[in-house]
Amino acid sequence: MRTTSPSNVLVTGAAGYIGTTLLRRLLADGARVIALDSLERGHADQLPREVPLVVGDVRDPDAVRQALRLFDRPPDACIHLAGLIQVGESTLFPELYRDVNVVGTQVVADLCLEAGVPALVLASSAAVLRPLAGVADRLDEDAPVGPESPYGASKLNGEYTLRAAADLGRMATVALRLFNVCGAAYGLAERHDPETHLIPLSLRAAAGELPPLHVFGEDFDTPDGTCLRDYVHVRDVVEAFVRAARLAMHQAASGGCEFNVVHVGTGQPRSVREVITACEQILGKPVPRVMHGRRPGDVAALVANPSKLASLLGIHPDPDLARMVRDAAASLGLLDG
Ligand code: UFG
C-alpha cells in the first residue's frame, strides 16, 4: 500500500476530545488542516493556533462549503468527527441525534463529493452493533448490527451514507467503529462538556472535584454484574484515523473506491468495577460511589475483535488500562509531581 499520509485534511468536530488530539497528530506529520466545529460542545482553547477554524454546524451546507474553500485544491481527505456522542442523552432527544448525526453526515458526504474529495472517514461507534448473547464474545466487522439507542441508529445511518457515497465510484470511505475512547495525549485533557464518561468521572470523584460516581447497574449478566467495555487509548484512535484516511486515499487513487468498516478497540473486556479499581490504584484514593439503576441504552458488553484493525490498518492498540487511566489522570492535573 502506498504510505503517503494526507497532506490536506478537513476535520469536522475538530475542537472535541478526539479532534484536538487528531489535529496534533496531523500537524506532526506536516499536514495542512482546516477545522470545522460549531463550538457548542468543543473546546476552542485547545485548538492549535496554526489551524484555521470555521465556526459552523455540519448541517449547514454553507459552513461546510466555506471550510472546503479554504483549501487551494480539494483536500486529500475529510475526517468527520462532528456529532453528538451520548447514548443516554440520545434516548431523551432522539430527534436531535437524528438531525445532527444523520443530516450532518449526509451534508458532509454530499459536499465532499461535490468538491472532489477522494477520501472520507467517519467516527462511527460500537453502538451500531447488536450485543451478542455471550458477553465473552468479541465483535468483528461482520457481526450483526442492531443499535439499542437512537445514538447507535444515527451512527449506523451515517455508515450507510458513506457506503452509498463509495458506491458512486469517486470517493473511498471508511467508518471507524470506536469502542470506549479514553486517556490523553499531547498534553491535552480527557474532558467532555458535560462529562459522562466513566474514567474522568471516577478520577474526578476520587479527587473530590465531582460528587460520588453513580454505578449504572450491577445486575448485568457479566462476571461481576457491571457492564463490560473495551477501553482504547485516544493515541491509538487518532492513529487509526490517519491510517484510514491514507487507505481511502490509496483506494481512490487506484480506482477502487470501497467502503470499509473497522473496529477500533483492544479486544480486552473491562468491567466498570475494574475501571474503578484502576482509578483507585493510580490515584491512591477511593472512588466514592453509589449504586444506581441501569442507564437507558446501556448494554451488558461491547468488546471489539481488533483483527481487522491490525490487518488493514497495521494498528495493535495498547491494552494497558493502567496506562490509559494514568494518562487521563495526568491530563486532568490529578497526579502529584
Ligand atoms: N458508567 C457508570 N457511571 C457513570 C458513567 C458510566 O456506571 O457515571 C458506566 C456505563 O454504564 C458503561 C461504562 O461505565 O457501562 C462506560 O460508560 P461511558 O459513558 O464511559 O461510555 P459508553 O460505553 O456509554 O459509550 C462510549 C461512547 C459511545 C460509544 C460507546 C461504545 O461514549 O460513543 O462507548 O462502546 F458508542
Side-chain angles (χ1 to χ4, degrees):
M1 182 176 110
R2 193 182 66 163
T3 54
T4 314
S5 287
S7 54
N8 288 283
V9 189
L10 172 62
V11 179
T12 75
Y17 162 55
I18 297 173
T20 51
T21 311
L22 175 64
L23 295 188
R24 267 71 182 184
R25 172 65 185 78
L26 289 166
L27 292 178
D29 252 6
R32 171 168 156 70
V33 187
I34 304 290
L36 174 64
D37 201 292
S38 69
L39 296 184
E40 273 181 36
R41 300 196 183 188
H43 308 277
D45 58 334
Q46 305 229 339
L47 286 168
R49 282 179 201 284
E50 61 267 49
V51 172
L53 168 69
V54 173
V55 180
D57 195 299
V58 282
R59 290 167 292 178
D60 175 7
D62 291 338
V64 179
R65 278 202 187 93
Q66 189 189 339
L68 285 163
R69 278 197 206 108
L70 291 181
F71 294 92
D72 310 330
R73 55 186 170 83
D76 302 316
C78 171
I79 299 180
H80 176 41
L81 306 176
L84 297 173
I85 61 162
Q86 292 170 34
V87 173
E89 183 186 59
S90 77
T91 64
L92 300 173
F93 305 104
E95 285 173 24
L96 179 66
Y97 273 70
R98 195 200 73 84
D99 201 31
V100 175
N101 292 357
V102 177
V103 177
T105 301
Q106 185 71 54
V107 169
V108 168
D110 286 353
L111 295 184
C112 284
L113 281 164
E114 179 186 280
V117 180
L120 174 60
V121 184
L122 169 70
S124 184
S125 169
V128 305
L129 294 161
R130 180 178 340 140
L132 296 180
V135 294
D137 292 330
R138 296 189 174 91
L139 295 150
D140 68 22
E141 290 76 4
D142 294 326
V145 292
E148 299 262 313
S149 65
Y151 166 69
S154 71
K155 284 293 177 185
L156 184 58
N157 201 302
E159 291 190 6
Y160 291 147
T161 297
L162 261 67
R163 188 166 75 186
D167 284 346
L168 299 178
R170 310 196 309 265
M171 167 194 274
T173 58
V174 184
L176 295 183
R177 289 186 184 150
L178 309 182
F179 283 65
N180 287 64
V181 186
C182 65
Y186 299 105
L188 297 163
E190 182 180 359
R191 203 178 273 282
H192 304 85
D193 188 16
E195 188 56 76
T196 61
H197 291 86
L198 179 62
I199 292 176
L201 284 175
S202 301
L203 290 169
R204 294 176 66 193
E209 287 184 12
L210 290 177
L213 178 78
H214 286 169
V215 176
F216 294 139
E218 287 187 296
D219 57 348
F220 288 94
D221 185 16
T222 60
D224 70 14
T226 64
C227 292
L228 296 173
R229 293 288 183 273
D230 185 335
Y231 295 87
V232 57
H233 201 292
V234 69
R235 190 183 287 281
D236 291 318
V237 171
V238 300
E239 191 60 33
F241 276 104
V242 172
R243 296 202 193 181
R246 209 185 270 175
L247 171 76
M249 282 167 58
H250 171 71
Q251 288 183 343
S254 53
C257 287
E258 290 179 25
F259 166 64
N260 274 289
V261 174
V262 183
H263 286 186
V264 182
T266 67
Q268 294 290 319
R270 306 285 190 179
S271 74
V272 172
R273 272 188 214 278
E274 275 179 89
V275 171
I276 292 171
T277 302
C279 292
E280 293 182 329
Q281 284 170 349
I282 294 296
L283 292 186
K285 292 178 188 163
V287 173
R289 55 191 185 266
V290 289
M291 295 311 155
H292 197 277
R294 292 184 182 193
R295 186 173 60 175
D298 271 348
V299 299
L302 273 176
V303 181
N305 177 335
S307 302
K308 192 172 175 187
L309 182 65
S311 62
L312 193 66
L313 301 183
I315 295 178
H316 302 269
D318 182 357
D320 184 351
L321 179 63
R323 179 173 168 232
M324 299 181 212
V325 171
R326 194 180 313 111
D327 286 353
S331 80
L332 294 169
L334 300 179
L335 288 186
D336 296 330

